[in-house]
PDB file of all heavy atoms in Angstrom:
ATOM      1  N   ILE A 295       2.582  33.668  43.990  1.00  0.00           N
ATOM      2  CA  ILE A 295       1.264  33.256  43.539  1.00  0.00           C
ATOM      3  C   ILE A 295       0.301  34.434  43.652  1.00  0.00           C
ATOM      4  O   ILE A 295       0.193  35.068  44.703  1.00  0.00           O
ATOM      5  CB  ILE A 295       0.736  32.080  44.380  1.00  0.00           C
ATOM      6  CG1 ILE A 295       1.703  30.889  44.305  1.00  0.00           C
ATOM      7  CG2 ILE A 295      -0.649  31.661  43.923  1.00  0.00           C
ATOM      8  CD1 ILE A 295       1.277  29.725  45.165  1.00  0.00           C
ATOM      9  N   VAL A 296      -0.360  34.727  42.558  1.00  0.00           N
ATOM     10  CA  VAL A 296      -1.430  35.716  42.564  1.00  0.00           C
ATOM     11  C   VAL A 296      -2.734  34.933  42.536  1.00  0.00           C
ATOM     12  O   VAL A 296      -3.047  34.276  41.547  1.00  0.00           O
ATOM     13  CB  VAL A 296      -1.330  36.674  41.365  1.00  0.00           C
ATOM     14  CG1 VAL A 296      -2.465  37.678  41.396  1.00  0.00           C
ATOM     15  CG2 VAL A 296       0.022  37.380  41.356  1.00  0.00           C
ATOM     16  N   TYR A 297      -3.489  34.993  43.631  1.00  0.00           N
ATOM     17  CA  TYR A 297      -4.652  34.117  43.702  1.00  0.00           C
ATOM     18  C   TYR A 297      -5.828  34.806  44.376  1.00  0.00           C
ATOM     19  O   TYR A 297      -5.681  35.785  45.102  1.00  0.00           O
ATOM     20  CB  TYR A 297      -4.312  32.833  44.462  1.00  0.00           C
ATOM     21  CG  TYR A 297      -4.034  33.035  45.933  1.00  0.00           C
ATOM     22  CD1 TYR A 297      -5.051  32.962  46.873  1.00  0.00           C
ATOM     23  CD2 TYR A 297      -2.745  33.278  46.389  1.00  0.00           C
ATOM     24  CE1 TYR A 297      -4.810  33.141  48.210  1.00  0.00           C
ATOM     25  CE2 TYR A 297      -2.484  33.454  47.737  1.00  0.00           C
ATOM     26  CZ  TYR A 297      -3.521  33.376  48.646  1.00  0.00           C
ATOM     27  OH  TYR A 297      -3.268  33.560  49.989  1.00  0.00           O
ATOM     28  N   SER A 298      -7.007  34.242  44.123  1.00  0.00           N
ATOM     29  CA  SER A 298      -8.233  34.665  44.783  1.00  0.00           C
ATOM     30  C   SER A 298      -9.035  33.413  45.095  1.00  0.00           C
ATOM     31  O   SER A 298      -9.549  32.756  44.177  1.00  0.00           O
ATOM     32  CB  SER A 298      -9.039  35.616  43.894  1.00  0.00           C
ATOM     33  OG  SER A 298     -10.337  35.813  44.431  1.00  0.00           O
ATOM     34  N   ILE A 299      -9.106  33.069  46.365  1.00  0.00           N
ATOM     35  CA  ILE A 299      -9.889  31.901  46.754  1.00  0.00           C
ATOM     36  C   ILE A 299     -11.364  32.134  46.464  1.00  0.00           C
ATOM     37  O   ILE A 299     -12.098  31.207  46.124  1.00  0.00           O
ATOM     38  CB  ILE A 299      -9.670  31.582  48.252  1.00  0.00           C
ATOM     39  CG1 ILE A 299      -8.172  31.370  48.537  1.00  0.00           C
ATOM     40  CG2 ILE A 299     -10.443  30.341  48.656  1.00  0.00           C
ATOM     41  CD1 ILE A 299      -7.562  30.219  47.790  1.00  0.00           C
ATOM     42  N   ALA A 300     -11.818  33.383  46.564  1.00  0.00           N
ATOM     43  CA  ALA A 300     -13.216  33.692  46.265  1.00  0.00           C
ATOM     44  C   ALA A 300     -13.551  33.358  44.814  1.00  0.00           C
ATOM     45  O   ALA A 300     -14.626  32.811  44.510  1.00  0.00           O
ATOM     46  CB  ALA A 300     -13.496  35.167  46.543  1.00  0.00           C
ATOM     47  N   SER A 301     -12.635  33.663  43.895  1.00  0.00           N
ATOM     48  CA  SER A 301     -12.866  33.340  42.484  1.00  0.00           C
ATOM     49  C   SER A 301     -12.887  31.836  42.258  1.00  0.00           C
ATOM     50  O   SER A 301     -13.716  31.320  41.499  1.00  0.00           O
ATOM     51  CB  SER A 301     -11.787  33.991  41.623  1.00  0.00           C
ATOM     52  OG  SER A 301     -11.896  35.399  41.643  1.00  0.00           O
ATOM     53  N   LEU A 302     -11.962  31.126  42.923  1.00  0.00           N
ATOM     54  CA  LEU A 302     -11.933  29.673  42.771  1.00  0.00           C
ATOM     55  C   LEU A 302     -13.223  29.050  43.300  1.00  0.00           C
ATOM     56  O   LEU A 302     -13.789  28.136  42.687  1.00  0.00           O
ATOM     57  CB  LEU A 302     -10.718  29.093  43.488  1.00  0.00           C
ATOM     58  CG  LEU A 302     -10.529  27.587  43.318  1.00  0.00           C
ATOM     59  CD1 LEU A 302     -10.051  27.269  41.907  1.00  0.00           C
ATOM     60  CD2 LEU A 302      -9.547  27.033  44.335  1.00  0.00           C
ATOM     61  N   LYS A 303     -13.700  29.545  44.441  1.00  0.00           N
ATOM     62  CA  LYS A 303     -14.950  29.025  44.986  1.00  0.00           C
ATOM     63  C   LYS A 303     -16.126  29.321  44.049  1.00  0.00           C
ATOM     64  O   LYS A 303     -17.045  28.505  43.919  1.00  0.00           O
ATOM     65  CB  LYS A 303     -15.217  29.623  46.367  1.00  0.00           C
ATOM     66  CG  LYS A 303     -14.353  29.044  47.473  1.00  0.00           C
ATOM     67  CD  LYS A 303     -15.001  29.207  48.828  1.00  0.00           C
ATOM     68  CE  LYS A 303     -16.251  28.394  48.973  1.00  0.00           C
ATOM     69  NZ  LYS A 303     -16.782  28.363  50.352  1.00  0.00           N
ATOM     70  N   ALA A 304     -16.106  30.485  43.403  1.00  0.00           N
ATOM     71  CA  ALA A 304     -17.164  30.804  42.441  1.00  0.00           C
ATOM     72  C   ALA A 304     -17.165  29.805  41.296  1.00  0.00           C
ATOM     73  O   ALA A 304     -18.232  29.343  40.849  1.00  0.00           O
ATOM     74  CB  ALA A 304     -16.986  32.224  41.920  1.00  0.00           C
ATOM     75  N   CYS A 305     -15.971  29.448  40.816  1.00  0.00           N
ATOM     76  CA  CYS A 305     -15.869  28.463  39.727  1.00  0.00           C
ATOM     77  C   CYS A 305     -16.386  27.099  40.174  1.00  0.00           C
ATOM     78  O   CYS A 305     -17.105  26.417  39.426  1.00  0.00           O
ATOM     79  CB  CYS A 305     -14.427  28.358  39.251  1.00  0.00           C
ATOM     80  SG  CYS A 305     -13.827  29.796  38.348  1.00  0.00           S
ATOM     81  N   TYR A 306     -16.004  26.687  41.391  1.00  0.00           N
ATOM     82  CA  TYR A 306     -16.464  25.392  41.898  1.00  0.00           C
ATOM     83  C   TYR A 306     -17.989  25.368  42.028  1.00  0.00           C
ATOM     84  O   TYR A 306     -18.641  24.379  41.676  1.00  0.00           O
ATOM     85  CB  TYR A 306     -15.807  25.087  43.248  1.00  0.00           C
ATOM     86  CG  TYR A 306     -14.574  24.225  43.138  1.00  0.00           C
ATOM     87  CD1 TYR A 306     -13.322  24.784  42.929  1.00  0.00           C
ATOM     88  CD2 TYR A 306     -14.664  22.838  43.234  1.00  0.00           C
ATOM     89  CE1 TYR A 306     -12.188  24.000  42.822  1.00  0.00           C
ATOM     90  CE2 TYR A 306     -13.542  22.035  43.146  1.00  0.00           C
ATOM     91  CZ  TYR A 306     -12.297  22.622  42.937  1.00  0.00           C
ATOM     92  OH  TYR A 306     -11.183  21.822  42.823  1.00  0.00           O
ATOM     93  N   PHE A 307     -18.559  26.454  42.553  1.00  0.00           N
ATOM     94  CA  PHE A 307     -20.009  26.491  42.719  1.00  0.00           C
ATOM     95  C   PHE A 307     -20.716  26.493  41.358  1.00  0.00           C
ATOM     96  O   PHE A 307     -21.705  25.780  41.168  1.00  0.00           O
ATOM     97  CB  PHE A 307     -20.427  27.728  43.519  1.00  0.00           C
ATOM     98  CG  PHE A 307     -21.916  27.874  43.638  1.00  0.00           C
ATOM     99  CD1 PHE A 307     -22.613  27.156  44.591  1.00  0.00           C
ATOM    100  CD2 PHE A 307     -22.625  28.710  42.782  1.00  0.00           C
ATOM    101  CE1 PHE A 307     -23.998  27.270  44.696  1.00  0.00           C
ATOM    102  CE2 PHE A 307     -23.999  28.831  42.875  1.00  0.00           C
ATOM    103  CZ  PHE A 307     -24.683  28.109  43.842  1.00  0.00           C
ATOM    104  N   ASN A 308     -20.215  27.305  40.417  1.00  0.00           N
ATOM    105  CA  ASN A 308     -20.843  27.375  39.103  1.00  0.00           C
ATOM    106  C   ASN A 308     -20.807  26.025  38.399  1.00  0.00           C
ATOM    107  O   ASN A 308     -21.798  25.609  37.777  1.00  0.00           O
ATOM    108  CB  ASN A 308     -20.151  28.425  38.236  1.00  0.00           C
ATOM    109  CG  ASN A 308     -20.375  29.841  38.753  1.00  0.00           C
ATOM    110  OD1 ASN A 308     -21.327  30.090  39.495  1.00  0.00           O
ATOM    111  ND2 ASN A 308     -19.497  30.754  38.394  1.00  0.00           N
ATOM    112  N   GLU A 309     -19.676  25.338  38.491  1.00  0.00           N
ATOM    113  CA  GLU A 309     -19.578  24.028  37.852  1.00  0.00           C
ATOM    114  C   GLU A 309     -20.517  23.028  38.529  1.00  0.00           C
ATOM    115  O   GLU A 309     -21.159  22.203  37.849  1.00  0.00           O
ATOM    116  CB  GLU A 309     -18.129  23.534  37.908  1.00  0.00           C
ATOM    117  CG  GLU A 309     -17.882  22.288  37.083  1.00  0.00           C
ATOM    118  CD  GLU A 309     -16.406  22.038  36.836  1.00  0.00           C
ATOM    119  OE1 GLU A 309     -15.568  22.737  37.421  1.00  0.00           O
ATOM    120  OE2 GLU A 309     -16.089  21.130  36.039  1.00  0.00           O
ATOM    121  N   HIS A 310     -20.587  23.094  39.855  1.00  0.00           N
ATOM    122  CA  HIS A 310     -21.511  22.212  40.569  1.00  0.00           C
ATOM    123  C   HIS A 310     -22.961  22.493  40.162  1.00  0.00           C
ATOM    124  O   HIS A 310     -23.749  21.560  39.935  1.00  0.00           O
ATOM    125  CB  HIS A 310     -21.337  22.431  42.079  1.00  0.00           C
ATOM    126  CG  HIS A 310     -22.341  21.730  42.927  1.00  0.00           C
ATOM    127  ND1 HIS A 310     -22.311  20.371  43.163  1.00  0.00           N
ATOM    128  CD2 HIS A 310     -23.430  22.194  43.594  1.00  0.00           C
ATOM    129  CE1 HIS A 310     -23.313  20.023  43.938  1.00  0.00           C
ATOM    130  NE2 HIS A 310     -24.016  21.109  44.222  1.00  0.00           N
ATOM    131  N   TYR A 311     -23.286  23.762  40.043  1.00  0.00           N
ATOM    132  CA  TYR A 311     -24.652  24.154  39.680  1.00  0.00           C
ATOM    133  C   TYR A 311     -24.985  23.719  38.246  1.00  0.00           C
ATOM    134  O   TYR A 311     -26.106  23.265  37.958  1.00  0.00           O
ATOM    135  CB  TYR A 311     -24.809  25.661  39.839  1.00  0.00           C
ATOM    136  CG  TYR A 311     -26.235  26.135  39.881  1.00  0.00           C
ATOM    137  CD1 TYR A 311     -27.215  25.411  40.533  1.00  0.00           C
ATOM    138  CD2 TYR A 311     -26.594  27.333  39.263  1.00  0.00           C
ATOM    139  CE1 TYR A 311     -28.530  25.855  40.572  1.00  0.00           C
ATOM    140  CE2 TYR A 311     -27.898  27.793  39.301  1.00  0.00           C
ATOM    141  CZ  TYR A 311     -28.865  27.038  39.964  1.00  0.00           C
ATOM    142  OH  TYR A 311     -30.164  27.486  39.999  1.00  0.00           O
ATOM    143  N   LEU A 312     -24.014  23.836  37.335  1.00  0.00           N
ATOM    144  CA  LEU A 312     -24.231  23.376  35.964  1.00  0.00           C
ATOM    145  C   LEU A 312     -24.474  21.876  35.911  1.00  0.00           C
ATOM    146  O   LEU A 312     -25.300  21.382  35.127  1.00  0.00           O
ATOM    147  CB  LEU A 312     -23.036  23.755  35.092  1.00  0.00           C
ATOM    148  CG  LEU A 312     -22.897  25.241  34.737  1.00  0.00           C
ATOM    149  CD1 LEU A 312     -21.549  25.511  34.083  1.00  0.00           C
ATOM    150  CD2 LEU A 312     -24.034  25.676  33.815  1.00  0.00           C
ATOM    151  N   GLN A 313     -23.771  21.139  36.764  1.00  0.00           N
ATOM    152  CA  GLN A 313     -23.976  19.689  36.807  1.00  0.00           C
ATOM    153  C   GLN A 313     -25.370  19.350  37.335  1.00  0.00           C
ATOM    154  O   GLN A 313     -26.012  18.409  36.855  1.00  0.00           O
ATOM    155  CB  GLN A 313     -22.907  19.045  37.683  1.00  0.00           C
ATOM    156  CG  GLN A 313     -21.513  19.068  37.075  1.00  0.00           C
ATOM    157  CD  GLN A 313     -20.460  18.529  38.028  1.00  0.00           C
ATOM    158  OE1 GLN A 313     -20.751  18.185  39.173  1.00  0.00           O
ATOM    159  NE2 GLN A 313     -19.218  18.468  37.566  1.00  0.00           N
ATOM    160  N   ILE A 314     -25.820  20.109  38.339  1.00  0.00           N
ATOM    161  CA  ILE A 314     -27.161  19.874  38.872  1.00  0.00           C
ATOM    162  C   ILE A 314     -28.211  20.154  37.790  1.00  0.00           C
ATOM    163  O   ILE A 314     -29.163  19.377  37.591  1.00  0.00           O
ATOM    164  CB  ILE A 314     -27.427  20.770  40.099  1.00  0.00           C
ATOM    165  CG1 ILE A 314     -26.479  20.401  41.246  1.00  0.00           C
ATOM    166  CG2 ILE A 314     -28.882  20.665  40.558  1.00  0.00           C
ATOM    167  CD1 ILE A 314     -26.679  19.002  41.783  1.00  0.00           C
ATOM    168  N   ILE A 315     -28.047  21.256  37.061  1.00  0.00           N
ATOM    169  CA  ILE A 315     -29.001  21.604  35.998  1.00  0.00           C
ATOM    170  C   ILE A 315     -29.016  20.544  34.908  1.00  0.00           C
ATOM    171  O   ILE A 315     -30.083  20.104  34.439  1.00  0.00           O
ATOM    172  CB  ILE A 315     -28.636  22.989  35.409  1.00  0.00           C
ATOM    173  CG1 ILE A 315     -28.872  24.082  36.446  1.00  0.00           C
ATOM    174  CG2 ILE A 315     -29.447  23.262  34.146  1.00  0.00           C
ATOM    175  CD1 ILE A 315     -28.422  25.456  35.989  1.00  0.00           C
ATOM    176  N   SER A 316     -27.840  20.096  34.472  1.00  0.00           N
ATOM    177  CA  SER A 316     -27.773  19.099  33.400  1.00  0.00           C
ATOM    178  C   SER A 316     -28.384  17.767  33.831  1.00  0.00           C
ATOM    179  O   SER A 316     -29.059  17.106  33.035  1.00  0.00           O
ATOM    180  CB  SER A 316     -26.315  18.890  32.974  1.00  0.00           C
ATOM    181  OG  SER A 316     -25.554  18.338  34.038  1.00  0.00           O
ATOM    182  N   SER A 317     -28.174  17.377  35.095  1.00  0.00           N
ATOM    183  CA  SER A 317     -28.735  16.102  35.559  1.00  0.00           C
ATOM    184  C   SER A 317     -30.253  16.180  35.688  1.00  0.00           C
ATOM    185  O   SER A 317     -30.972  15.211  35.385  1.00  0.00           O
ATOM    186  CB  SER A 317     -28.115  15.709  36.899  1.00  0.00           C
ATOM    187  OG  SER A 317     -28.436  16.656  37.904  1.00  0.00           O
ATOM    188  N   GLN A 318     -30.768  17.336  36.135  1.00  0.00           N
ATOM    189  CA  GLN A 318     -32.216  17.481  36.296  1.00  0.00           C
ATOM    190  C   GLN A 318     -32.930  17.583  34.950  1.00  0.00           C
ATOM    191  O   GLN A 318     -34.067  17.122  34.807  1.00  0.00           O
ATOM    192  CB  GLN A 318     -32.521  18.723  37.142  1.00  0.00           C
ATOM    193  CG  GLN A 318     -32.066  18.618  38.590  1.00  0.00           C
ATOM    194  CD  GLN A 318     -32.802  17.513  39.331  1.00  0.00           C
ATOM    195  OE1 GLN A 318     -34.020  17.357  39.209  1.00  0.00           O
ATOM    196  NE2 GLN A 318     -32.060  16.728  40.094  1.00  0.00           N
ATOM    197  N   LEU A 319     -32.264  18.179  33.953  1.00  0.00           N
ATOM    198  CA  LEU A 319     -32.893  18.357  32.639  1.00  0.00           C
ATOM    199  C   LEU A 319     -32.494  17.270  31.650  1.00  0.00           C
ATOM    200  O   LEU A 319     -32.942  17.291  30.497  1.00  0.00           O
ATOM    201  CB  LEU A 319     -32.528  19.729  32.068  1.00  0.00           C
ATOM    202  CG  LEU A 319     -32.975  20.935  32.885  1.00  0.00           C
ATOM    203  CD1 LEU A 319     -32.540  22.236  32.207  1.00  0.00           C
ATOM    204  CD2 LEU A 319     -34.493  20.925  33.072  1.00  0.00           C
ATOM    205  N   GLY A 320     -31.641  16.342  32.100  1.00  0.00           N
ATOM    206  CA  GLY A 320     -31.231  15.258  31.214  1.00  0.00           C
ATOM    207  C   GLY A 320     -30.332  15.720  30.091  1.00  0.00           C
ATOM    208  O   GLY A 320     -30.385  15.167  28.977  1.00  0.00           O
ATOM    209  N   LEU A 321     -29.513  16.706  30.338  1.00  0.00           N
ATOM    210  CA  LEU A 321     -28.608  17.235  29.318  1.00  0.00           C
ATOM    211  C   LEU A 321     -27.223  16.629  29.474  1.00  0.00           C
ATOM    212  O   LEU A 321     -26.788  16.295  30.586  1.00  0.00           O
ATOM    213  CB  LEU A 321     -28.519  18.770  29.436  1.00  0.00           C
ATOM    214  CG  LEU A 321     -29.834  19.542  29.342  1.00  0.00           C
ATOM    215  CD1 LEU A 321     -29.594  21.026  29.557  1.00  0.00           C
ATOM    216  CD2 LEU A 321     -30.496  19.299  27.989  1.00  0.00           C
ATOM    217  N   ASP A 322     -26.522  16.515  28.370  1.00  0.00           N
ATOM    218  CA  ASP A 322     -25.141  16.029  28.369  1.00  0.00           C
ATOM    219  C   ASP A 322     -24.221  17.195  27.993  1.00  0.00           C
ATOM    220  O   ASP A 322     -24.197  17.622  26.839  1.00  0.00           O
ATOM    221  CB  ASP A 322     -24.982  14.871  27.385  1.00  0.00           C
ATOM    222  CG  ASP A 322     -23.568  14.288  27.417  1.00  0.00           C
ATOM    223  OD1 ASP A 322     -22.793  14.670  28.330  1.00  0.00           O
ATOM    224  OD2 ASP A 322     -23.238  13.467  26.535  1.00  0.00           O
ATOM    225  N   LEU A 323     -23.504  17.699  28.999  1.00  0.00           N
ATOM    226  CA  LEU A 323     -22.645  18.865  28.774  1.00  0.00           C
ATOM    227  C   LEU A 323     -21.199  18.486  28.473  1.00  0.00           C
ATOM    228  O   LEU A 323     -20.356  19.362  28.305  1.00  0.00           O
ATOM    229  CB  LEU A 323     -22.680  19.778  30.014  1.00  0.00           C
ATOM    230  CG  LEU A 323     -24.050  20.312  30.436  1.00  0.00           C
ATOM    231  CD1 LEU A 323     -23.900  21.215  31.656  1.00  0.00           C
ATOM    232  CD2 LEU A 323     -24.715  21.058  29.293  1.00  0.00           C
ATOM    233  N   SER A 324     -20.901  17.198  28.406  1.00  0.00           N
ATOM    234  CA  SER A 324     -19.505  16.774  28.226  1.00  0.00           C
ATOM    235  C   SER A 324     -18.931  17.243  26.898  1.00  0.00           C
ATOM    236  O   SER A 324     -17.727  17.485  26.787  1.00  0.00           O
ATOM    237  CB  SER A 324     -19.414  15.248  28.324  1.00  0.00           C
ATOM    238  OG  SER A 324     -20.241  14.625  27.353  1.00  0.00           O
ATOM    239  N   SER A 325     -19.770  17.394  25.887  1.00  0.00           N
ATOM    240  CA  SER A 325     -19.254  17.772  24.563  1.00  0.00           C
ATOM    241  C   SER A 325     -18.998  19.279  24.436  1.00  0.00           C
ATOM    242  O   SER A 325     -18.386  19.711  23.458  1.00  0.00           O
ATOM    243  CB  SER A 325     -20.252  17.340  23.481  1.00  0.00           C
ATOM    244  OG  SER A 325     -21.510  17.969  23.687  1.00  0.00           O
ATOM    245  N   ILE A 326     -19.479  20.060  25.403  1.00  0.00           N
ATOM    246  CA  ILE A 326     -19.304  21.522  25.277  1.00  0.00           C
ATOM    247  C   ILE A 326     -18.480  22.108  26.421  1.00  0.00           C
ATOM    248  O   ILE A 326     -18.427  23.330  26.594  1.00  0.00           O
ATOM    249  CB  ILE A 326     -20.684  22.231  25.239  1.00  0.00           C
ATOM    250  CG1 ILE A 326     -21.432  21.984  26.548  1.00  0.00           C
ATOM    251  CG2 ILE A 326     -21.493  21.782  24.043  1.00  0.00           C
ATOM    252  CD1 ILE A 326     -22.688  22.836  26.693  1.00  0.00           C
ATOM    253  N   LYS A 327     -17.806  21.251  27.185  1.00  0.00           N
ATOM    254  CA  LYS A 327     -17.066  21.752  28.352  1.00  0.00           C
ATOM    255  C   LYS A 327     -15.875  22.614  27.957  1.00  0.00           C
ATOM    256  O   LYS A 327     -15.381  23.406  28.772  1.00  0.00           O
ATOM    257  CB  LYS A 327     -16.609  20.591  29.235  1.00  0.00           C
ATOM    258  CG  LYS A 327     -17.736  20.028  30.085  1.00  0.00           C
ATOM    259  CD  LYS A 327     -17.221  19.067  31.131  1.00  0.00           C
ATOM    260  CE  LYS A 327     -18.353  18.636  32.064  1.00  0.00           C
ATOM    261  NZ  LYS A 327     -17.878  17.744  33.136  1.00  0.00           N
ATOM    262  N   ASN A 328     -15.396  22.455  26.759  1.00  0.00           N
ATOM    263  CA  ASN A 328     -14.270  23.275  26.296  1.00  0.00           C
ATOM    264  C   ASN A 328     -14.724  24.477  25.471  1.00  0.00           C
ATOM    265  O   ASN A 328     -13.889  25.197  24.924  1.00  0.00           O
ATOM    266  CB  ASN A 328     -13.303  22.428  25.467  1.00  0.00           C
ATOM    267  CG  ASN A 328     -12.592  21.391  26.312  1.00  0.00           C
ATOM    268  OD1 ASN A 328     -12.295  21.646  27.475  1.00  0.00           O
ATOM    269  ND2 ASN A 328     -12.306  20.231  25.732  1.00  0.00           N
ATOM    270  N   SER A 329     -16.010  24.673  25.383  1.00  0.00           N
ATOM    271  CA  SER A 329     -16.527  25.775  24.568  1.00  0.00           C
ATOM    272  C   SER A 329     -16.472  27.089  25.349  1.00  0.00           C
ATOM    273  O   SER A 329     -16.428  27.115  26.581  1.00  0.00           O
ATOM    274  CB  SER A 329     -17.972  25.492  24.142  1.00  0.00           C
ATOM    275  OG  SER A 329     -18.814  25.447  25.275  1.00  0.00           O
TER     276      SER A 329
END
């Protein structure tokens, strides 16, 4: 396994932060998650 826990944590934090932004601004990001 070639891995970086730091990178995985960055992804988790970024996704969490995007969810916080979308909920506060009333945005629906479900349609662009694969973009």
Side-chain angles (χ1 to χ4, degrees):
I295 302 177
V296 179
Y297 68 90
S298 169
I299 303 298
S301 293
L302 184 73
K303 285 204 67 171
C305 289
Y306 264 88
F307 176 81
N308 292 339
E309 189 164 8
H310 172 75
Y311 197 38
L312 287 170
Q313 290 175 357
I314 296 296
I315 292 175
S316 64
S317 63
Q318 293 296 316
L319 299 180
L321 303 177
D322 183 10
L323 302 181
S324 58
S325 60
I326 62 170
K327 283 191 174 183
N328 292 326
S329 64

